[in-house]
Amino acid sequence: MKVVTLGVHVLDVLVRPVEAVPEGQGATLVEDIRMTAAGTAGGTALTLAKLGATVYSAGAIGSDPTGDMLVQLLGAAGVDTRHLVRRTDTATSASVLPIRPNGDRPSLHLLGANITYGPDDVPWDAIAEADHLHLGGPELIGVDTATRILSHAKEHGVTTSVDLLAPGVLGSFEQIEAALPYVDHMLPNEDQVLGFTGEQDLITGAQKLLAAGAGLVAVTRGGDGALLVTPDGTEQVPAFAIDVVDTTGCGDAFSAFVRGTGLGRTAHASAVLGCAAAALVAQGLGSDHGDFDLAAADAFAQEHKPRT
């Protein structure tokens, strides 16, 4: 499976555990500080590469040490970074994540170069030659550019998936509506479904995305697993019972869903794979946690109980 993961790339700096920020010039000792590649495109690239896909990452980053580190981390994970464009006048997007003892992750975020990505940066030929295009954060590049990219993929027989970046409270249906007819798999979280559709009910919101053209909607729900909404109905897929260390990158890891569909698995089986990948990532610090492959993820799903 040849995949282009296009869109948001972020360097995460994670600190754990953080119960509170020291006052004034105070200091607190912590157990771990790590840097990882992340983002709705970068984090997804890490998981898909682990699961055996050939992954090409595309997006905008800065020509700064942060960007150098991001490229190095992606490359070390087996991701081809030739389609990342380097800006000389804009910093690489980055986040500082003080991870709470329960795994929650407040964020201090720099948008950086992600919002500068445009049609002239798109590797059109690489997309046309891929099996699958995953677009992470279409709302940052604008619905017109996102629609053009996704429609180009569909014209060349490439399957597509989309994940959103913005919190639901910052979303609107107009930011994504025109692109939805070209989206095979929509992979938002529940807050984004409600925020972007303006609905009060999760299923109603997901059905609005379907009515606008999306092929199916797989909603990530944290510890509650995933909700599949298709033209044939709805189905809950439970998360796995684990001890959570850090939830960073779990939504991106759920994009393992598209690896499952690429292997010809049903939507349910693909969602189980997505939940397994998310559970493996959540047991350590950062989006790249877990030394697993497809066989290990499938074994995890068979051997571990769902969360009740």
Side-chain angles (χ1 to χ4, degrees), residues 118-138:
D120 292 342
D121 302 312
V122 178
W124 300 104
D125 290 343
I127 292 172
E129 295 168 1
D131 300 309
H132 186 85
L133 168 69
H134 177 80
L135 177 54

Side-chain angles (χ1 to χ4, degrees), residues 2-4 56 125-133 153 156-159:
K2 187 176 181 180
V3 183
V4 175
Y56 296 82
D125 290 343
I127 292 172
E129 295 168 1
D131 300 309
H132 186 85
L133 168 69
H156 289 84
V158 179
T159 58

Side-chain angles (χ1 to χ4, degrees), residues 185-225:
H185 313 306
M186 192 75 186
L187 309 173
N189 63 39
E190 54 187 326
D191 173 66
Q192 291 166 335
V193 171
L194 298 177
F196 276 80
T197 65
E199 300 291 341
Q200 300 297 313
D201 176 74
L202 185 59
I203 294 177
T204 302
Q207 289 173 336
K208 183 174 181 177
L209 297 172
L210 288 183
L216 66 80
V217 182
V219 187
T220 55
R221 307 188 64 207
D224 291 327

Side-chain angles (χ1 to χ4, degrees), residues 13 57 94 111 132 151 217 221 253:
V13 180
S57 228
L111 278 174
H132 186 85
S151 63
V217 182
R221 307 188 64 207

Side-chain angles (χ1 to χ4, degrees), residues 25-281:
Q25 299 293 321
T28 298
L29 295 178
V30 297
E31 295 176 8
D32 202 1
I33 297 177
R34 296 191 66 233
M35 289 188 290
T36 69
T40 46
T44 297
L46 295 175
T47 294
L48 294 180
K50 285 181 180 181
L51 297 178
T54 299
V55 183
Y56 296 82
S57 228
I61 62 176
S63 297
D64 51 12
T66 303
D68 294 341
M69 178 61 71
L70 184 55
V71 169
Q72 179 182 335
L73 290 168
L74 287 168
V79 177
D80 191 310
T81 60
R82 73 182 72 180
H83 300 303
L84 288 175
V85 295
R86 306 292 299 265
R87 303 291 193 228
T88 58
D89 57 350
T90 309
T92 300
S93 178
S95 292
V96 176
L97 302 168
I99 309 302
R100 302 190 200 282
N102 68 353
D104 286 348
R105 51 179 183 90
S107 175
L108 305 172
H109 184 64
L110 172 68
L111 278 174
N114 284 316
I115 60 175
T116 71
Y117 197 77
D120 292 342
D121 302 312
V122 178
W124 300 104
D125 290 343
I127 292 172
E129 295 168 1
D131 300 309
H132 186 85
L133 168 69
H134 177 80
L135 177 54
E139 68 275 24
L140 289 193
I141 61 174
V143 68
D144 292 339
T145 298
T147 301
R148 182 177 170 186
I149 293 169
L150 291 162
S151 63
H152 175 78
K154 296 303 297 177
E155 287 168 6
H156 289 84
V158 179
T159 58
T160 61
S161 56
V162 166
D163 192 6
L164 301 170
L165 179 70
V169 68
L170 299 179
S172 69
F173 201 57
E174 291 73 21
Q175 291 176 292
I176 58 172
E177 183 177 12
L180 292 173
Y182 308 102
V183 179
D184 293 310
H185 313 306
M186 192 75 186
L187 309 173
N189 63 39
E190 54 187 326
D191 173 66
Q192 291 166 335
V193 171
L194 298 177
F196 276 80
T197 65
E199 300 291 341
Q200 300 297 313
D201 176 74
L202 185 59
I203 294 177
T204 302
Q207 289 173 336
K208 183 174 181 177
L209 297 172
L210 288 183
L216 66 80
V217 182
V219 187
T220 55
R221 307 188 64 207
D224 291 327
L227 172 69
L228 289 178
V229 183
T230 72
D232 297 325
T234 64
E235 182 181 7
Q236 298 279 353
V237 179
F240 291 95
I242 59 166
D243 293 326
V244 174
V245 172
D246 171 26
T247 59
T248 303
C250 290
D252 302 326
F254 179 81
S255 296
F257 179 93
V258 305
R259 180 65 171 132
T261 59
L263 291 167
R265 300 183 184 184
T266 65
H268 174 86
S270 298
V272 170
L273 177 60
C275 288
L280 288 162
V281 168

